[in-house]
C-alpha cells in the first residue's frame, strides 16, 4: 500500500468511517474511526475523566445526537473494542485482511463538534471573525494533509494583512 484508503462516509455519521492510512514511517494504520470516549484526550480503552464526561453529557447537542443514533454509535464502539468486528469492517476495503495481520497500537484523538440542536459540523469548518481565523474541524486523514486547504487558509490570512 502506498496511499490512503478511505471509504465514502455516510453523511449521517461523518466520523465513523473505516480507513487505512500510511504513516511517515511507512507503517499502515487501520481503524474503524472515531468513537465517543469519556475523556477529551483518551489514548487508551480505559481512559476516564469525570469532568470531561460531565462536560460531554451535559451539552444538549451531544444528548440529541446520542439519542438519535445510539444503535449505530454503540455498534461502532463495540467494533473499536472487538478485533473480529474491526477486521470484518476493514475487509470491506481490503478483502484479504485477516485478524493475524493486525496488531493493536495506540489510538488518536479526533474532536467532533456539534451544535446545541444536535447538528454535526462538516469535516472542514472555518470561522472567521475580524482578525482571527479558527480552523475548528479538519479530522479526515485526507483533509489534514491537504495542500488545497492550506492554500485556502493562507489566502484568508493574507486578506487580513
Amino acid at each position: 500500500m502506498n496511499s490512503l484508503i478511505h471509504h465514502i462516509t455516510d453523511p449521517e455519521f461523518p466520523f465513523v468511517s473505516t480507513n487505512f492510512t500510511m504513516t511517515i514511517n511507512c507503517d499502515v494504520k487501520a481503524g474503524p474511526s472515531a468513537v465517543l470516549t469519556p475523556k477529551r484526550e483518551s489514548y487508551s480503552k480505559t481512559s476516564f475523566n469525570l469532568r470531561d464526561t460531565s462536560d460531554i453529557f451535559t451539552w444538549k447537542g451531544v444528548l440529541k445526537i446520542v439519542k438519535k443514533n445510539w444503535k449505530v454509535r454503540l455498534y461502532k464502539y463495540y467494533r473499536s473494542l472487538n478485533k473480529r468486528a474491526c477486521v470484518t469492517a476493514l475487509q470491506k476495503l481490503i478483502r484479504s485482511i485477516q485478524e493475524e495481520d493486525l496488531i493493536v497500537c495506540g489510538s488518536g484523538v479526533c474532536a467532533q463538534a456539534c451544535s446545541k440542536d444536535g447538528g454535526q459540523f462538516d469535516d472542514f469548518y472555518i470561522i472567521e471573525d475580524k482578525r482571527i481565523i479558527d480552523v475548528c474541524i479538519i479530522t479526515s486523514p485526507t483533509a489534514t494533509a491537504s495542500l488545497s486547504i492550506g492554500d485556502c487558509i493562507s489566502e484568508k490570512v493574507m486578506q487580513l494583512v
Side-chain angles (χ1 to χ4, degrees):
M1 183 179 124
N2 59 10
S3 64
L4 171 73
I5 301 174
H6 200 286
H7 87 283
I8 298 172
T9 304
D10 182 339
E12 288 294 314
F13 309 105
F15 297 98
V16 290
S17 61
T18 304
N19 61 77
F20 291 88
T21 305
M22 184 174 284
T23 68
I24 196 165
N25 299 328
C26 296
D27 294 330
V28 177
K29 303 270 182 166
S33 202
V35 295
L36 183 62
T37 62
K39 186 176 179 188
R40 282 188 177 92
E41 293 187 34
S42 181
Y43 293 98
S44 75
K45 294 176 185 177
T46 58
S47 295
F48 179 81
N49 180 285
L50 184 59
R51 184 176 183 156
D52 289 351
T53 301
S54 175
D55 288 348
I56 291 166
F57 287 104
T58 56
W59 180 253
K60 292 178 183 177
V62 170
L63 296 176
K64 289 180 181 181
I65 289 172
V66 170
K67 182 179 177 185
K68 182 172 111 180
N69 304 318
W70 71 271
K71 287 180 183 177
V72 170
R73 302 275 175 187
L74 189 61
Y75 170 71
K76 300 299 181 176
Y77 189 75
Y78 164 76
R79 191 176 75 177
S80 74
L81 297 173
N82 182 289
K83 192 173 186 179
R84 181 71 231 143
C86 180
V87 167
T88 299
L90 294 171
Q91 286 173 334
K92 292 178 182 176
L93 296 175
I94 300 178
R95 291 183 184 168
S96 61
I97 293 289
Q98 299 298 312
E99 280 189 59
E100 57 271 12
D101 296 329
L102 303 181
I103 54 173
V104 177
C105 64
S107 62
V109 173
C110 168
Q112 181 176 348
C114 67
S115 61
K116 287 181 182 178
D117 66 357
Q120 294 177 265
F121 294 102
D122 287 334
D123 196 31
F124 182 58
Y125 186 65
I126 296 176
I127 298 173
E128 297 176 65
D129 183 29
K130 298 179 185 170
R131 297 187 54 82
I132 297 172
I133 298 172
D134 286 321
V135 181
C136 300
I137 304 170
I138 298 183
T139 56
S140 169
T142 53
T144 55
S146 171
L147 295 176
S148 63
I149 292 173
D151 288 342
C152 173
I153 294 167
S154 63
E155 285 175 22
K156 291 178 182 297
V157 169
M158 295 308 293
Q159 291 172 1
L160 295 176
V161 178

